[in-house]
Amino acid sequence: MTDIPAANGHEIYIGSIPYSVCEDTLIPMMEKCGTIYDLRMMVDAATGRNKGFCFVTFVEDDAVDIAVKKYNGVELKAGMKIRVNPSIPNLKLSLSNLPMNKEASELMEEFNKLLDGVLNVELTGPGCCTIHFDRHKNASSSKRKLFTGRVRPFDQLVGVDWFVVNEENGEEDVKVLFVRNIDADMSDAEYSDIFSRFGSVMRINRFTNHLFVHYVDRKAAEKALGKMDKKVVFVDMS
């Protein structure tokens, strides 16, 4: 590791990391590509295991290309190949459950009051939009504020997730549902059973009167969105 600041564009994403692998395995590998400025392993606070991915920032200009060529597709364990790609900062958020009568200009005015670094707002459907930020730090901070309800545009709790583009068809690849007006008497397991009928659920984040359902793929989320009885529970793409 080094204390020398690294420039933008010097970061890689390493995915499909076996859960048993730690920093002491990855650091010697990455040091063969260049001087490491920072390595951030994403760890599950509940289990202490890595989440299967990390980010590495280098000092040298060519270290990213070297790391991708050297390690993308390499097996750390039998049958388990890691993915190594240049890391591109996400600058856009997808929002839902906004007032349906608002224009993009009105949303822009509201978000500029509540969030930092908003560059543009684009309507994507009734009550839905994407927000483009000037830098990842502001986008990430805004996501946390909106997700926890600390910031409520137009005094409404909104659904929020990173904007993701499907590389195959260029379409937005959102896989999270925002569910409001939930039944306090129903358990997390019961809600998991309900939404698992439509496809594989990665996790459910529950709050006092709403929850977020994270699906493995978008088709399952779309199926749930179309099939759920909105008179019983309101479901919106987030």
Side-chain angles (χ1 to χ4, degrees):
M1 302 279 186
T2 179
D3 293 329
I4 301 173
N8 291 332
H10 289 200
E11 185 177 76
I12 61 170
Y13 163 86
I14 306 177
S16 301
I17 301 172
Y19 292 129
S20 59
V21 170
C22 300
E23 292 93 332
D24 58 357
T25 298
L26 296 172
I27 288 175
M29 293 170 57
M30 295 302 115
E31 284 180 332
K32 295 178 181 179
C33 305
T35 307
I36 298 174
Y37 171 67
D38 182 42
L39 186 149
R40 305 188 311 282
M41 178 75 81
M42 303 298 110
V43 177
D44 188 318
T47 65
R49 299 190 311 179
N50 77 66
K51 292 184 177 181
F53 67 98
C54 76
F55 297 91
V56 182
T57 306
F58 294 100
V59 173
E60 293 85 2
D61 292 337
D62 59 350
V64 168
D65 288 338
I66 294 173
V68 172
K69 292 176 182 177
K70 188 175 183 65
Y71 289 115
N72 186 40
V74 167
E75 289 188 0
L76 287 188
K77 289 199 170 185
M80 302 183 71
K81 297 180 179 180
I82 60 172
R83 292 182 292 114
V84 181
N85 299 307
S87 176
I88 301 174
N90 199 331
L91 304 177
K92 297 175 74 175
L93 296 177
S94 294
L95 272 68
S96 66
N97 198 40
L98 293 161
M100 295 188 182
N101 61 341
K102 300 296 182 182
E103 300 291 337
S105 58
E106 295 175 286
L107 295 177
M108 182 74 176
E109 182 179 356
E110 179 74 357
F111 291 135
N112 274 326
K113 294 177 184 176
L114 303 173
L115 307 172
D116 295 325
V118 176
L119 295 180
N120 185 47
V121 175
E122 180 182 353
L123 289 173
T124 55
C128 301
C129 77
T130 58
I131 307 177
H132 191 174
F133 292 86
D134 58 349
R135 53 180 175 160
H136 178 77
K137 180 179 179 180
N138 285 330
S140 181
S141 173
S142 297
K143 182 176 182 291
R144 287 194 299 271
K145 292 176 182 178
L146 292 164
F147 183 81
T148 58
R150 283 189 291 151
V151 168
R152 300 193 177 203
F154 305 102
D155 201 31
Q156 288 192 197
L157 184 68
V158 301
V160 59
D161 201 5
W162 290 111
F163 175 89
V164 181
V165 174
N166 187 313
E167 294 181 357
E168 293 183 359
N169 54 30
E171 295 179 351
E172 188 177 357
D173 192 23
V174 179
K175 298 174 286 189
V176 184
L177 296 181
F178 172 71
V179 185
R180 52 188 174 181
N181 297 348
I182 63 175
D183 188 341
D185 294 329
M186 288 184 62
S187 67
D188 291 357
E190 288 175 306
Y191 271 113
S192 181
D193 288 342
I194 290 173
F195 287 98
S196 293
R197 298 171 189 168
F198 308 107
S200 298
V201 174
M202 289 190 294
R203 67 181 185 276
I204 292 180
N205 299 118
R206 183 168 183 168
F207 297 86
T208 303
N209 57 6
H210 68 282
L211 55 83
F212 293 89
V213 183
H214 298 252
Y215 280 98
V216 172
D217 61 69
R218 181 177 174 83
K219 288 184 178 179
E222 289 178 338
K223 187 176 180 181
L225 184 64
K227 295 290 186 179
M228 289 297 292
D229 184 353
K230 292 192 176 183
K231 293 181 180 179
V232 177
V233 59
F234 295 88
V235 185
D236 295 293
M237 277 293 190
S238 63

